[in-house]
Amino acid sequence: MSASSTRKTTEDLRIKKVFLESGIEVDPVYTADDVEPLGIRNEMPGIYPFTRGIHPAMYREKPFTIRQYAGFASPEETNTRFLFLIQNGQSGLNVAFDLPTQCGLDSDDPAALGEVGRVGMAVDTLDDFEIAFRGIDLDKITVSLTINGTAIILIALYIALAEKRGIDIKSLRGTAQNDILKEFIGRGTWIFPVDKSVKLVVDTIEYCAKHVPKYSPVSVCGYHIRESGANPIQEMAYAFCIAKAYTDGALSKGIDIDDFASRLSFNFDIYGNFFEQIAKFRGGRRLWAKIIREEYGAKNDHSCWLRMIAGGGGGGLTKEQPENNIIRSAYYALISALSGTQTMALCSYDEAYTIPTEKSAEISLRTMQIMIHEMGICDTVDPLGGSYYVEALTDRFEHEIAREMKTVEAWGGIVNAVATGKIQESVSKQAYQREMGFQTGVVPKVGLNMFTREEDPRPVDFHPYNQEAADNQVLKLNRIKASRNQEAVQRHLAEIKADALADNNLLPSIIAAVKEYATVGEIVQVLKEVYGEFEEPIFI
Amino acid sequence: MKILLAKPGLDGHDVGVKVLAHGLKDAGFEVVYTGLRKSIETIVDMAVERQADAIGLSILSGTHLILAERMNGVMAERKLDIPWLVGGNIPVLDVPKLEASGAAKAFPTGSKIQEIIEYFETLNTKK
């Protein structure tokens, strides 16, 4: 007797219908009948299309990397912290930058008032990189730059630093976030019009493919798109459309897909329904592999890998009863591991209302370590593989993500959809509906709209703003501006302008300019003269 | 009643301000949104030009005290009497400080949309 003949529907069982956040209806039970027609039961990890993981042995060989995010105000403070981390065995460094650096303003710009060194390190010239990385061997440490709007300049600074130290850039490793398209949807550190912004990303991919082949110039972020209100299908679909836009740009420069696709990586968000997230990653991994092989003709398996950092998102945490966030984060970590992530990061439980304390950051770290060392999570690859439900949902996600990508194409492609505000408008409406769902109690959230209790207001804390460090940063900038070779700076800035007008790759002239201590703000100003600035579409 | 919602400074976190904009519109208010990274001067110009009855500043990067001080200065300089509010990551201890620098009210993150709507309604009846 086949399972289907005895299978009961929601109507038979007189139970309510259940829909995932993505709108997919969930059956009360899944059987072999749901997965047999899919013909996916013989998939293996490490083998195309990598649904079950990109490596054959996954965590048995090496557990996921733990990478927590942190920012320090000045290059000097950053350097001290980096040296400490390295002495304690850390081999990768994450750098956060302040908002003026992210928006292309120098520390002495009037618009930078009160922002210098506030949310990360201030960078004006190569001197700041020389201080931040003093005594640090760039051959042995991988540095991750969380930068987007000015990424091409910060990558140039990193390459210039390596070259000045006599390092062969052919062997230089590191990563940059450098995903400008998602900045237009969420996070907001855009500067130039959308097409010109994409051109800058493509320049970095082209330059790295040819000259810095070990460097990962782009990490495409579904994370911020999801935090802005996108559902899990849209998170993956928009991220893939963005990654394809960069890929198309690189291919148009005549670069072979196999020369850069393996250097692209992704950053995704985790909160919400447990199985929905796992299916999102498994289905997404399979779809991305197919896109790279079938659409772009990649021959190398590595090109088809969906390499990702997937972490517990702030969107799932609550300010109310914040200790509950420790439990939520542990589930998010489990989702991430069951989804075969390469790198994991968790928000701290108090992050919804304040700067994480050392204690809360330690709890996040221990959450991941307990999972690795006590739970057997690393013993077997893709332990959910073969589950009727998970496999059926994985298949559904693969198709729904592909369908959503077609919707974006119908909007004229991702660049157009972002330039006109089409995507921003739809995700912001969803964010509103989601918030209303929480505020009215239609969408259950423990401690927020159910099982609530009276709470004292939480002490919200910011790092006190260090005005002295900000003033020193400006003094340092003035000193450098007074002592550098002005003629050389002006000549290189003129070269950047000429290259921008001629649509040449800008990295060589930017590298030359930063070596002469041209500032981030000066270079951005020259580019604004050629490209203009993005005009934010207002749909409210 | 017309409300200008604004993002001063360099902070790009706009999910909250857009959610509030939708909520206020649904409650029958007219809403004008400035977009990201506007100077206090530009925001005040827009408020005058669009004849806003109130201004909401959304700030999540921690610069609220500095920006509120400037807002207070520009409003005084131009002899304007439009009530303005601050929303975002506001430490409890900073709420009285903001109100002392001229903000009519401060709504820290976690405030309910309904609460904010009701506040604007009281402003409306005062008019």
Side-chain angles (χ1 to χ4, degrees):
Chain A
M1 190 169 65
S2 90
S4 60
S5 58
T6 55
R7 186 152 150 196
K8 300 282 197 292
T9 65
T10 45
E11 284 79 16
D12 300 331
L13 294 167
R14 295 168 189 273
I15 49 175
K16 65 171 186 181
K17 284 180 177 288
V18 170
F19 294 90
L20 299 175
E21 192 185 339
S22 303
I24 295 169
E25 187 176 0
V26 179
D27 291 344
V29 68
Y30 287 79
T31 67
D33 289 354
D34 292 297
V35 292
E36 263 165 18
L38 308 176
I40 53 175
R41 290 191 298 173
N42 289 324
E43 281 184 308
M44 284 296 285
I47 293 174
Y48 179 87
F50 307 108
T51 312
R52 305 191 61 193
I54 62 174
H55 301 295
M58 289 299 289
Y59 307 147
R60 179 69 84 94
E61 203 171 9
K62 181 180 157 292
F64 50 85
T65 304
I66 294 173
R67 188 190 285 161
Q68 294 295 81
Y69 181 77
F72 301 94
S74 65
E76 292 79 3
E77 210 185 326
T78 305
N79 183 250
T80 308
R81 182 70 187 170
F82 282 178
L83 290 173
F84 169 82
L85 290 172
I86 291 164
Q87 275 157 13
N88 283 278
Q90 190 160 319
S91 61
L93 300 172
N94 242 348
V95 198
F97 298 97
D98 70 358
L99 283 168
T101 304
Q102 295 188 46
C103 297
L105 304 170
D106 285 339
S107 298
D108 60 351
D109 193 297
L113 181 74
E115 295 281 12
V116 177
R118 190 185 280 276
V119 299
M121 174 170 114
V123 177
D124 297 308
T125 69
L126 182 59
D127 182 65
D128 295 315
F129 263 39
E130 288 170 332
I131 294 168
F133 298 108
R134 190 181 288 153
I136 293 168
D137 196 344
L138 301 183
D139 284 339
K140 300 208 172 73
I141 298 292
T142 60
V143 176
S144 172
L145 308 173
T146 307
I147 192 76
N148 296 278
T150 50
I152 190 168
I153 304 171
L154 279 275
I155 291 171
L157 284 165
Y158 198 69
I159 292 171
L161 179 70
E163 286 185 335
K164 282 187 94 167
R165 286 191 185 174
I167 295 168
D168 180 6
I169 60 168
K170 281 254 175 299
S171 63
L172 187 68
R173 290 175 187 275
T175 62
Q177 192 166 84
N178 197 19
D179 172 14
I180 195 63
L181 281 171
K182 70 92 173 44
E183 293 287 323
F184 293 97
I185 303 172
R187 212 173 170 283
T189 69
W190 38 258
I191 301 171
F192 309 108
V194 186
D195 56 336
K196 300 303 177 190
S197 300
V198 173
K199 178 246 186 308
L200 297 180
V201 176
V202 171
D203 279 3
T204 62
I205 297 173
E206 181 188 24
Y207 188 90
C208 289
K210 288 177 180 164
H211 307 289
V212 204
K214 302 252 166 77
Y215 198 84
S216 296
V218 180
S219 174
V220 178
C221 300
Y223 185 98
H224 309 84
I225 298 172
R226 172 103 170 104
E227 291 282 321
S228 297
N231 70 32
I233 290 171
Q234 293 164 331
E235 174 189 7
M236 303 305 278
Y238 299 164
F240 288 173
C241 288
I242 287 171
K244 283 186 69 182
Y246 302 147
T247 301
D248 291 337
L251 292 174
S252 77
K253 300 277 180 183
I255 314 169
D256 191 281
I257 184 79
D258 285 313
D259 284 341
F260 68 91
S262 66
R263 305 305 324 156
L264 297 177
S265 64
F266 291 84
N267 179 349
F268 292 118
D269 202 0
I270 297 175
Y271 66 80
N273 185 291
F274 190 87
F275 294 102
E276 184 176 22
Q277 312 310 311
I278 293 169
K280 163 180 99 173
F281 291 125
R282 296 177 89 252
R285 195 157 45 225
R286 185 196 287 151
L287 178 62
W288 183 247
K290 287 183 180 173
I291 288 170
I292 291 294
R293 174 147 300 169
E294 291 170 17
E295 274 184 51
Y296 290 112
K299 293 180 183 67
N300 192 334
D301 265 2
H302 295 202
S303 303
C304 305
W305 287 354
L306 182 84
R307 289 186 304 137
M308 63 181 186
I309 174 167
L317 307 187
T318 61
K319 198 174 169 181
E320 294 76 10
Q321 300 182 23
E323 298 79 6
N324 296 347
N325 294 330
I326 299 174
I327 319 301
R328 290 193 181 99
S329 293
Y331 285 126
Y332 299 158
L334 184 59
I335 289 171
S336 184
L338 291 173
S339 303
T341 194
Q342 278 58 62
T343 303
M344 194 185 297
L346 295 177
C347 287
S348 295
Y349 77 89
D350 50 0
E351 217 163 310
Y353 61 92
T354 193
I355 293 172
T357 59
E358 238 171 73
K359 186 79 199 160
S360 70
E362 188 186 342
I363 291 174
S364 296
L365 187 64
R366 297 287 177 260
T367 302
M368 295 182 268
Q369 289 166 334
I370 287 169
M371 206 170 57
I372 293 173
H373 299 289
E374 297 182 19
M375 298 294 133
I377 205 75
C378 301
D379 297 350
T380 298
V381 182
D382 187 34
L384 294 185
S387 147
Y388 300 139
Y389 180 33
V390 170
E391 293 294 0
L393 204 54
T394 295
D395 191 68
R396 186 72 192 274
F397 257 88
E398 179 194 347
H399 290 98
E400 293 297 332
I401 297 165
R403 193 204 306 248
E404 190 68 35
M405 291 175 73
K406 289 214 170 67
T407 305
V408 176
E409 277 165 34
W411 289 340
I414 189 81
V415 169
N416 189 56
V418 162
T420 57
K422 182 83 193 158
I423 288 187
Q424 295 91 314
E425 184 176 4
S426 72
V427 299
S428 118
K429 275 196 191 127
Q430 286 174 203
Y432 173 56
Q433 283 152 5
R434 192 177 119 82
E435 184 59 34
M436 286 313 286
F438 287 140
Q439 296 201 4
T440 56
V442 172
V443 180
K445 193 80 186 172
V446 172
L448 180 73
N449 57 28
M450 62 207 304
F451 314 115
T452 56
R453 58 170 154 75
E454 280 299 310
E455 288 178 85
D456 292 332
R458 299 273 157 197
V460 182
D461 208 10
F462 288 101
H463 287 308
Y465 185 56
N466 190 338
Q467 189 61 52
E468 197 191 332
D471 293 342
N472 284 339
Q473 183 70 23
V474 173
L475 288 176
K476 191 169 59 179
L477 171 62
N478 290 339
R479 228 173 20 242
I480 287 162
K481 274 185 172 173
S483 63
R484 65 189 182 176
N485 179 344
Q486 302 303 342
E487 181 276 324
V489 171
Q490 294 311 319
R491 181 160 37 83
H492 287 302
L493 288 174
E495 274 169 24
I496 293 173
K497 190 166 187 174
D499 280 339
L501 286 165
D503 210 23
N504 294 332
N505 191 313
L506 292 172
L507 254 171
S509 51
I510 296 178
I511 293 171
V514 299
K515 280 183 179 169
E516 296 291 343
Y517 298 89
T519 70
V520 172
E522 287 168 336
I523 294 168
V524 166
Q525 189 50 42
V526 164
L527 294 178
K528 278 182 185 172
E529 285 163 21
V530 179
Y531 294 150
E533 292 179 60
F534 176 60
E535 282 181 40
E536 187 180 356
I538 304 290
F539 44 80
I540 283 157
Chain B
M1 188 182 190
K2 193 188 277 180
I3 299 162
L4 182 83
L5 292 181
K7 285 295 298 181
L10 303 180
D11 165 39
H13 292 93
D14 59 1
V15 179
V17 72
K18 287 178 177 172
V19 163
L20 179 64
H22 287 294
L24 290 171
K25 277 171 76 175
D26 276 1
F29 292 94
E30 205 178 321
V31 176
V32 179
Y33 173 55
T34 60
L36 293 179
R37 274 185 262 156
K38 300 291 185 256
S39 69
I40 291 293
E41 288 78 2
T42 306
I43 291 166
V44 173
D45 285 344
M46 275 185 84
V48 172
E49 197 182 304
R50 305 291 291 268
Q51 298 181 313
D53 300 301
I55 303 169
L57 304 176
S58 158
I59 309 164
L60 288 95
S61 69
T63 46
H64 48 276
L65 292 177
I66 295 168
L67 291 167
E69 203 177 302
R70 170 158 303 189
M71 183 73 181
N72 199 29
V74 174
M75 294 296 276
E77 217 172 85
R78 303 199 187 173
K79 299 190 174 56
L80 292 170
D81 190 24
I82 310 170
W84 55 275
L85 298 74
V86 183
N89 269 347
I90 317 282
V92 184
L93 289 176
D94 285 351
V95 171
K97 292 183 199 165
L98 285 171
E99 290 172 358
S101 6
K105 185 99 177 135
F107 287 103
T109 45
S111 302
K112 301 276 176 284
I113 294 173
Q114 194 51 38
E115 234 177 281
I116 303 172
I117 289 172
E118 280 162 19
Y119 179 77
F120 278 114
E121 278 164 356
T122 61
L123 279 185
N124 203 14
T125 49
K126 272 190 212 154
K127 267 173 57 86

